[in-house]
Amino acid sequence: MKKLTSRIDKERLALGIAAPLLAVVAALLVTTLVILATGKNPGDAFSDMVTYGFASDSQVYILNKATTYYLAGVAVAIGFRMNLFNIGVDGQYRLAAFIAAVLGGALTVPGWIAIPLIIISAMATGALWAAIAGILKVTRGVSEVIATIMLNSIATAIIAYLLQPGRLGQLDQAGTLVSTKPLPSSSYFFGIDTGPAGELWGFIVIAVLVGVAYWFVLGRTRFGFDLRTVGQSETAAAASGVGVKKMIATSMIISGAVAGLIGMPTLLNDSHQFSNDFPAGIGFTGIAIALLGRNHPIGIALGALLWGFLERTTNHLEFQGYDKEILGVIQGVIVLCVVIAYEVVRRYGMKRQQQRVGAELAAQAAAPTKKQEVA
């Protein structure tokens, strides 16, 4: 029995290692072919990416970007664990950042009061915006995909309407940028000065706490167990007494609350205002990162770091004469390779498990027959 357990554990470990290894090899191979197709040397490109990516200023840039991407990945992953596809993360975080920026610019209280109020208002806005899709799904059966896509468009329209001079926006002195009232310096989030490499955003601490909370709630609490059960089978969850509709609405609200945090690193550590050039599309990046990380907090962190590394290094490649579209190609190739590799390994693992169970059942069925022959 111990030998069988040892063999199964080793095989499971091997399968766990095989999936990311297969994905990396496939991604490198396809990326090499893409770079060769542009008439460049892939060896020089990879060498330049590694050298530039591990420079001190690049490491700070990557960590700052990964902070935002990690929050986006966790927000999407919460929905994925419930078998919900929250495409509305992009609209949720942008609307949340806008409302938080307006509130922060109007506050005259000390920073230790203002900063929590700004963060709470962002989370509340994201949660309320996501709740609309959750309520529509549980009360009217509206697909969360359709609802969140439409809510993204509505959020964009609301921001465009309000972010105008004379409403909640103001024009800069150059007359080119419309933004909310800047936050007072007392409302800036702390940063870590790394010297010539730049400032490391202090919001990375909040991102780590969000990751720990995500791991603990989903993996160590009854609520997390119920959430994962509903995601795997609504029928089985309902039969065991779980309120399926309540869990769907709750998970959307939590996903939206985390989405509200996505714009906070930029707002509190960088721009200190919401303008018409505020980062967009991070919610969709979060979908890719959640897929890369397989909805696991550590996997999402690695995916966020990889995304930041690729963004930093491939943008640098453009200045070295490489085509700027390489970034999009490499990112897409990596996501596809990871998804395909994990699915291939999963199916192989299931096939091996079925074979083992079949062999054990056959052995158990043959055992009484041998006893009868001896008798």
Side-chain angles (χ1 to χ4, degrees), residues 11-25:
E11 186 169 320
R12 184 177 298 175
L13 178 63
L15 289 175
I17 297 174
L21 186 61
L22 179 62
V24 169
V25 172

Side-chain angles (χ1 to χ4, degrees), residues 232-312:
Q232 292 173 358
S233 174
E234 293 185 10
T235 304
S240 62
V242 178
V244 175
K245 290 185 176 181
K246 180 181 177 181
M247 292 301 300
I248 291 174
T250 303
S251 63
M252 284 296 295
I253 291 172
I254 296 174
S255 177
V258 176
L261 292 173
I262 296 172
M264 294 301 97
T266 302
L267 178 65
L268 297 176
N269 275 119
D270 185 27
S271 67
H272 308 299
Q273 62 185 11
F274 188 99
S275 59
N276 48 17
D277 65 349
F278 199 82
I282 299 177
F284 299 106
T285 301
I287 296 175
I289 291 173
L291 290 172
L292 283 175
R294 306 297 293 176
N295 301 326
H296 191 280
I298 296 178
I300 296 172
L302 295 175
L305 289 169
L306 174 62
W307 213 262
F309 174 82
L310 290 175
E311 183 177 309
R312 178 70 168 178

